[in-house]
Amino acid sequence: MGTQRHLWQSTPKVVMLWEPPWMPAVLWDRVTLTCQGLGTTSATTWYKDGWHWGQQGHDCLTVTENGTYSCDRPGSGLSPPMRVLDGEGDWLVLQVPARPLLEGDRVTLRCRDRWNNLGHWVSFYHEEKHLVQLRNGTELTLFPLQLHHSGRYRCRGWLTDRQWVVSAPVTVTVHSENPTVSTPTPPHPATHSCSKMSADTKFFLSLKTHPVPWPDSNCPGKGGGSGASSGPL
């Protein structure tokens, strides 16, 4: 394989949304990516791990393989990269909202397993210090959010057929100032329609806790029939 070109810029004019908007993103959440920004929808091109991926001309893409994704529109540059994990081997995943976390916010961390067979007890840890143990609960709410809430979090739970398991750590960063960001309404997961955004729009994601239905034909998996190309950009 040849040398791959970096697929991101410091100030992108194209942004990528994903549903459901939680980090880390995992395949068993049925992740859908939406490319938004300047340029025409029909000129959208997708990349996976630095290589052409999928069908040009769709602004939505259903992720069917783990990897790092970006999208491009001519004259507007490339979106920031976004990684989707396969979730294999991770009995538990701790997820945080994929949006800027600000002082005073109400933020929910959720502990999940792909089979939804968590038992009665779930514990949360901050910098390896035990915070709380919940019975019949899988979510921890931090409110009001403070700077000292920044750091690495884990969760520990009882899976009915695997005993006690612990998630990989997830880093939470709390910001003291509201970033300059435009926050138009993201596409509804049932329709995956996309709205226009201005050229100075920065990267954003909004919180949504509802499960996402399988996308329709307007958001093809692996870009329909074209597949991945045989070479890089």
Side-chain angles (χ1 to χ4, degrees):
M1 296 173 111
T3 302
Q4 298 183 30
R5 196 178 88 184
H6 290 296
L7 295 180
W8 52 88
Q9 299 174 340
S10 59
T11 308
K13 296 180 181 179
V14 174
V15 296
M16 189 164 53
L17 313 179
W18 66 89
E19 292 286 351
W22 294 85
M23 291 293 291
V26 289
L27 283 180
W28 38 273
D29 264 344
R30 296 179 176 178
V31 177
T32 298
L33 307 179
T34 301
C35 191
Q36 290 192 351
L38 298 178
T40 59
T41 298
S42 60
T44 301
T45 303
W46 292 92
Y47 304 95
K48 175 181 177 291
D49 300 326
W51 297 78
H52 286 285
W53 182 257
Q55 180 178 349
Q56 182 168 314
H58 287 272
D59 59 352
C60 298
L61 179 71
T62 300
V63 177
T64 59
E65 297 184 18
N66 64 299
T68 300
Y69 292 82
S70 291
C71 64
D72 170 85
R73 287 184 183 172
S76 299
L78 293 132
S79 70
M82 185 271 190
R83 188 181 180 195
V84 180
L85 305 178
D86 58 19
E88 296 293 337
D90 295 320
W91 305 122
L92 280 186
V93 173
L94 178 63
Q95 292 181 308
V96 303
R99 60 177 174 85
L101 304 180
L102 310 175
E103 280 187 294
D105 280 356
R106 180 186 296 273
V107 174
T108 298
L109 313 182
R110 64 181 192 175
C111 189
R112 304 178 61 221
D113 74 289
R114 65 183 303 167
W115 299 280
N116 292 318
N117 64 349
L118 268 175
H120 295 295
W121 299 101
V122 173
S123 295
F124 289 85
Y125 298 82
H126 178 219
E127 298 294 349
E128 308 306 329
K129 179 181 179 181
H130 183 259
L131 293 178
V132 65
Q133 184 176 62
L134 304 178
R135 183 173 183 176
N136 298 321
T138 60
E139 296 184 346
L140 172 67
T141 298
L142 304 176
F143 177 79
L145 199 62
Q146 303 293 326
L147 291 178
H148 66 79
H149 288 134
S150 296
R152 298 198 314 165
Y153 287 79
R154 293 179 185 265
C155 66
R156 178 176 182 262
W158 174 268
L159 297 183
T160 56
D161 58 346
R162 299 186 182 278
Q163 300 186 346
W164 290 103
V165 290
V166 180
S167 72
V170 173
T171 299
V172 170
T173 302
V174 181
H175 300 277
S176 61
E177 295 181 0
N178 193 350
T180 303
V181 61
S182 185
T183 54
T185 303
H188 190 280
T191 60
H192 303 286
S193 61
C194 299
S195 60
K196 298 291 184 180
M197 298 201 305
S198 62
D200 60 349
T201 299
K202 301 297 190 299
F203 180 73
F204 77 92
L205 289 161
S206 64
L207 173 63
K208 189 185 295 295
T209 58
H210 306 295
V212 178
W214 192 258
D216 57 25
S217 59
N218 291 326
C219 287
K222 200 176 176 180
S226 64
S229 72
S230 57
L233 289 175

